[in-house]
Amino acid sequence: MQAEDRIIHFSAELIHAPQAQKKDALQRLYYELTQTKAAYDGSDFTVPGQARFYSRRGTKTQSICLFLPDRVLLVEEWADVPLSSFLDRVREVAERTLAARGIDKYLAHAATIRSTFALTHFDDARVFLLDHVCGQEGIIGPYFQRPVAVGGLRFVLPETHEHNGMLSVLIESWRHSRNEVFVEVKGVFGRKTVGPGESDIVIENIRAVREFIASNIYPYLNQHDEPKEAENE
């Protein structure tokens, strides 16, 4: 399996007590962000309770900051920026939103990263995951009696004393490329609230989600991506 995955999505949710949105405060926040590396190209206040800042690049790539009554959602879709740039944006938005909206703390936060891994010894990720990893060859078809477009595995890893945050893990064949495995990890963190000057708590947990993909999911999948001759030795 290719050691370098391709990250296609970053997102973070910053959850707080419900708060009425004030358009003028968010307009000032938008202007403040234009003076930083976290600037967006436009804003939209037309949907009540769902103000958004956004940037679009090309046909698919976009950056969004969505303000809902009880949270702020930051998204990099079809990401063309490195994790470091996303973290800079999260830090700026997290700190400035507290002040702009009069929020004393974030009660919880979540982070989602999606990426793809290219297989080395298999040309079909469905065969790799369902038949090879899960041992379902010849078992699914007689019962479902329809082709499988996408298949894979899902895990929920609860928070423990040793491990911060609950992780939801999705591993499946990727519909956009036959030989790539799609991976999504979402971490939900509520052990510590995050107040002014404490955004590094969020940053470190986003990094932890990224590290789980690189240090845990990659070796888990890579152990199965071996030449077929090796299976019979």
Side-chain angles (χ1 to χ4, degrees), residues 57-221:
R57 298 175 297 282
T59 58
K60 296 190 294 184
T61 300
Q62 59 181 327
S63 305
I64 298 171
C65 181
L66 178 64
F67 298 90
L68 299 172
D70 67 343
R71 70 194 62 203
V72 184
L73 176 62
L74 296 100
V75 179
E76 298 289 335
E77 195 65 75
W78 293 102
D80 61 354
V81 298
L83 177 61
S84 59
S85 296
F86 178 65
L87 296 180
D88 287 341
R89 174 164 272 164
V90 170
R91 183 181 284 106
E92 289 283 357
V93 171
E95 294 289 351
R96 293 175 185 273
T97 297
L98 289 173
R101 301 194 62 194
I103 300 166
D104 62 344
K105 61 186 175 183
Y106 298 113
L107 304 174
H109 55 279
T112 302
I113 296 179
R114 299 171 184 155
S115 69
T116 69
F117 287 97
L119 296 168
T120 300
H121 300 291
F122 289 79
D123 58 10
D124 190 328
R126 291 169 301 174
V127 172
F128 171 71
L129 288 172
L130 297 179
D131 296 355
H132 184 62
V133 177
C134 297
Q136 296 297 295
E137 184 175 4
I139 298 175
I140 297 174
Y143 294 94
F144 290 179
Q145 298 181 0
R146 295 179 64 173
V148 176
V150 175
L153 305 93
R154 180 173 182 265
F155 305 92
V156 176
L157 311 177
E159 185 172 46
T160 68
H161 291 298
E162 297 79 17
H163 302 97
N164 183 30
M166 181 193 76
L167 298 181
S168 295
V169 178
L170 180 65
I171 303 170
E172 63 184 26
S173 55
W174 197 36
R175 60 190 178 89
H176 296 287
S177 178
R178 182 182 174 89
N179 77 320
E180 289 184 72
V181 176
F182 170 87
V183 173
E184 176 187 277
V185 178
K186 179 175 182 177
V188 178
F189 305 92
R191 184 175 290 179
K192 293 182 179 179
T193 60
V194 177
E198 297 179 332
S199 59
D200 278 350
I201 295 172
V202 177
I203 300 306
E204 288 308 309
N205 285 332
I206 296 174
R207 286 196 177 113
V209 171
R210 171 60 183 144
E211 183 60 25
F212 188 83
I213 294 175
S215 297
N216 299 82
I217 292 180
Y218 169 75
Y220 167 72
L221 292 173

